[in-house]
Amino acid sequence: MSPHGAASKAWHGLHPMLRAGLTSGTIMAGGDLLCQTIQLQYQPAVAGTAENEKVEKPKKREERSAPASTSGAHWMSAAVREKLGLADYDLVRTARFFGVGMTLHGPFFNKTLGILEKVVGPATTVQAAAKKVALGHFFLFPSYTALFYGWLSVFEGKGLEGGVQKFTDTWWDIFVAGSAFWPAANMVNFMYCPPMYRVLYLNVAGLYWNAFLSYQNVRATAMEAIIKQE
């Protein structure tokens, strides 16, 4: 058996929940790296105090120093990160997103999409697919988003209270953006993807969505910092 065939056999021999978690973790980490790449290229920095809040001019990459990890330490040495071209990236933050994907996103959607399949049945018609989309958007989407912020906040050491605050600060933007993106993406998912590949499709479609969530999480953290200064 070729190495590729052996790897494929080993992968498909894993428990479906573990496969879903590993896939989600990898894609969510990729989404965070994409978000950081965009931020490093051109990101407005927000600074403010109780007396004087202002938005600074966008800084180009060469004008900024490398960001410090929000955990206070990197698990990868500076020399190795420099060699890999990741010196400016907060890899601890990326690792948190991998952890959320591994322990929340993958298992959550692996289970709930199966429940939708049992409740509604196969999406053999546009009406059946639309019913799944509606149920997913009004039940799974908000519940997952709330869990996401709580989960990530725990990974950041801020507890559930921090997650509630971040969700409160960003939920409207997320709901509006999600309402524009996910219904169309999920129609394709339910109508054309076999059940075993639906979590994988969600992850691929969600690469840019996870970058957006990462941005919203950073924005909420910045807002918290401004509030504390007041």
Side-chain angles (χ1 to χ4, degrees), residues 78-86:
V80 173
R81 288 188 289 117
E82 183 70 35
K83 189 173 182 179
L84 293 175
L86 298 172

Side-chain angles (χ1 to χ4, degrees), residues 88-187:
D88 292 340
Y89 289 80
D90 184 350
L91 298 183
V92 174
R93 169 180 142 182
T94 301
R96 290 195 196 100
F97 274 83
F98 177 86
V100 172
M102 179 73 185
T103 59
L104 175 63
H105 185 279
F108 179 87
F109 284 106
N110 182 272
K111 188 68 175 179
T112 55
L113 290 181
I115 293 173
L116 270 183
E117 190 73 12
K118 291 179 181 179
V119 171
V120 181
T124 55
T125 65
V126 173
Q127 289 82 358
K131 186 175 181 180
K132 281 187 176 181
V133 168
L135 288 172
H137 195 63
F138 287 104
F139 292 100
L140 302 187
F141 177 65
S143 59
Y144 169 74
T145 303
L147 285 170
F148 165 81
Y149 277 113
W151 225 265
L152 188 60
S153 187
V154 169
F155 273 84
E156 292 174 338
K158 298 178 181 178
L160 292 177
E161 183 179 350
V164 170
Q165 184 60 53
K166 286 185 177 182
F167 179 75
T168 302
D169 291 340
T170 62
W171 75 269
W172 178 248
D173 289 342
I174 290 174
F175 182 76
V176 171
S179 297
F181 178 76
W182 281 114
N186 281 327
M187 279 293 288

Side-chain angles (χ1 to χ4, degrees), residues 181-199:
F181 178 76
W182 281 114
N186 281 327
M187 279 293 288
V188 174
N189 193 12
F190 291 132
M191 291 194 70
Y192 301 109
C193 290
M196 65 181 297
Y197 295 120
R198 283 178 183 161
V199 175

Side-chain angles (χ1 to χ4, degrees), residues 202-217:
L202 278 179
N203 279 292
V204 174
L207 177 62
Y208 294 100
W209 179 254
N210 288 321
F212 175 72
L213 284 182
S214 178
Y215 166 75
Q216 290 292 337
N217 182 64

